[in-house]
Amino acid sequence: MRRAVLIAVGVAVGLMACRTTQPAGTENREPIGDPAQREPRQVVPSEPPGNAEPLTEPDSGTP
């Protein structure tokens, strides 16, 4: 009997946890901003990165 009650409570809690918190009709709304507007591109430098030597001076956060 206890198992049946625990299973029923678990199912009820699971169903309540899976409900969406968004109001009805949210999936049909238009975006706030202009969908054609994009973020600016980031330019990657063409020169190779610097050498990978150990730090000779203390860096911030390095003892």
Side-chain angles (χ1 to χ4, degrees), residues 8-47:
V9 169
V11 168
V13 169
L15 289 175
M16 293 299 291
C18 292
R19 289 182 54 190
T20 181
T21 57
Q22 296 178 349
T26 303
E27 64 274 0
N28 298 328
R29 292 189 182 168
E30 294 294 323
I32 295 174
D34 183 18
Q37 182 180 3
R38 296 183 180 173
E39 294 183 12
R41 292 185 177 182
Q42 295 182 357
V43 179
V44 178
S46 59
E47 64 267 2

Side-chain angles (χ1 to χ4, degrees), residues 5-6 16 23 25 30 42 56 62:
V5 171
L6 288 175
M16 293 299 291
E30 294 294 323
Q42 295 182 357
T56 57
T62 305

